[in-house]
């Protein structure tokens, strides 16, 4: 996955450099655009949980999102996405019989906020000033910060490791006039984190490690403007 994204970005930058030279001889155009979107964040989660086994479940969420795009040329642009989401977290099908509990139990791990700023390099298939329908694809990276962790009803504390992930993107702008447009966008993030659960309230010194894959699908729709 990492090699695919790096290859996409390398080819894009080479093409971008050539088009930037060509663009310097053409008419100026509006290089910035901003969007406000409502996004649905749908995790496709899985986990390898030590000691108690089982899997993990993260709730879906719907939040507002703000993003900014800068056009290097009429075809190439970079987009920065800013949003934060809150997710309820549970284990699924865990076995705590070794410490006097039941088998096949779901454990409430509380909730956590995710802040995943994501930067993508985009290719737009139609020139910026032309056409009403403007599709694009993109690929890039994100750095996810886990914060405001709240304990659940079962364990004392859960900690998450911040981590780098990768993103693919596809979407389109539908121009209403020369300045304003409607946007529809879908992103797939590939994100993992190391989780440590302090379960010393269940058994003295018990700490449960887990490798958690989140890999959310982010579906968005909103309005934007060029400037």
């Amino acid at each position: 996955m990492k090699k695919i994204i790096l290859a996409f970005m390398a080819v894009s930058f080479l093409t971008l450099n050539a088009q930037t030279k060509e663009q310097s001889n053409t008419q100026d155009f509006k290089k910035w655009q901003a969007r406000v979107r409502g996004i649905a964040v749908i995790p496709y989660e899985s986990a390898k949980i030590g000691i108690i086994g089982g899997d993990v479940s993260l709730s879906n969420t719907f939040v507002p999102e703000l993003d900014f795009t800068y056009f290097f040329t009429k075809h190439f642009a970079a987009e920065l996405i800013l949003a934060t989401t809150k997710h309820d977290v549970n284990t699924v099908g865990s076995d705590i019989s070794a410490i006097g509990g039941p088998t096949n139990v779901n454990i409430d791990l509380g909730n956590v906020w995710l802040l995943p700023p994501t930067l993508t390099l985009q290719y737009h298939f139609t020139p910026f000033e032309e056409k009403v329908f403007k599709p694009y694809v993109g690929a890039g990276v994100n750095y996810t910060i886990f914060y405001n962790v709240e304990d659940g009803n079962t364990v004392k504390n859960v900690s998450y490791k911040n981590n780098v992930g990768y993103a693919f993107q596809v979407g389109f702008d539908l121009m209403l006039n020369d300045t304003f447009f409607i946007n529809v966008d879908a992103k797939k993030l590939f994100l993992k984190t190391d989780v440590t659960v302090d379960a010393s309230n269940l058994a003295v010194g018990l700490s449960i490690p887990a490798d958690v894959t989140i890999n959310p699908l982010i579906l968005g729709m909103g309005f934007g403007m060029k400037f």
Side-chain angles (χ1 to χ4, degrees):
M1 186 63 63
K2 180 179 179 180
K3 291 181 179 179
I4 294 174
I5 293 178
L6 290 177
F8 174 86
M9 296 182 73
V11 173
S12 298
F13 276 118
L14 290 173
T15 308
L16 169 61
N17 184 58
Q19 289 199 2
T20 300
K21 294 178 180 178
E22 178 183 353
Q23 185 62 41
S24 63
N25 298 322
T26 63
Q27 184 179 2
D28 290 338
F29 62 99
K30 295 178 181 178
K31 295 183 178 181
W32 286 94
Q33 65 184 33
R35 303 185 189 95
V36 176
R37 286 188 283 226
I39 59 171
V41 181
I42 307 168
Y44 283 78
E45 66 275 36
S46 63
K48 296 179 180 178
I49 304 175
I51 305 174
I52 63 172
D55 209 334
V56 68
S57 173
L58 280 76
S59 62
N60 300 337
T61 188
F62 184 84
V63 297
E65 176 245 50
L66 177 66
D67 68 79
F68 297 94
T69 303
Y70 178 78
F71 280 79
F72 302 101
T73 74
K74 292 182 179 182
H75 289 283
F76 281 93
E79 179 184 271
L80 178 64
I81 302 106
L82 302 171
T84 185
T85 61
K86 180 181 180 182
H87 299 271
D88 298 324
V89 186
N90 295 272
T91 71
V92 179
S94 296
D95 180 358
I96 57 175
S97 59
I99 55 175
T103 61
N104 195 27
V105 64
N106 299 343
I107 300 175
D108 178 12
L109 300 183
N111 57 68
V112 60
W113 285 83
L114 276 66
L115 177 63
T118 303
L119 180 65
T120 58
L121 180 64
Q122 300 174 335
Y123 180 80
H124 292 250
F125 292 95
T126 55
F128 193 74
E129 294 95 351
E130 301 174 11
K131 309 293 183 182
V132 172
F133 178 70
K134 300 176 180 294
Y136 58 85
V137 295
V141 296
N142 87 292
Y143 183 75
T144 298
I145 300 168
F146 298 83
Y147 70 101
N148 276 8
V149 181
E150 296 183 6
D151 296 341
N153 298 323
T154 307
V155 297
K156 292 177 59 177
N157 183 52
V158 183
S159 63
Y160 300 83
K161 182 181 179 181
N162 300 340
N163 207 355
V164 175
Y166 304 97
F168 286 106
Q169 177 184 34
V170 61
F172 65 86
D173 296 325
L174 188 64
M175 301 306 299
L176 301 176
N177 53 41
D178 290 339
T179 300
F180 296 99
F181 57 89
I182 296 171
N183 174 258
V184 175
D185 184 271
K187 298 181 185 68
K188 181 67 176 181
L189 270 57
F190 295 89
L191 172 65
K192 295 183 178 181
T193 181
D194 296 328
V195 180
T196 303
V197 179
D198 179 359
S200 57
N201 60 315
L202 302 179
V204 177
L206 180 60
S207 179
I208 303 171
D211 296 326
V212 178
T213 298
I214 301 176
N215 290 0
L217 175 65
I218 303 174
L219 304 175
M221 183 174 181
F223 295 93
M225 67 175 294
K226 302 189 304 181
F227 56 96

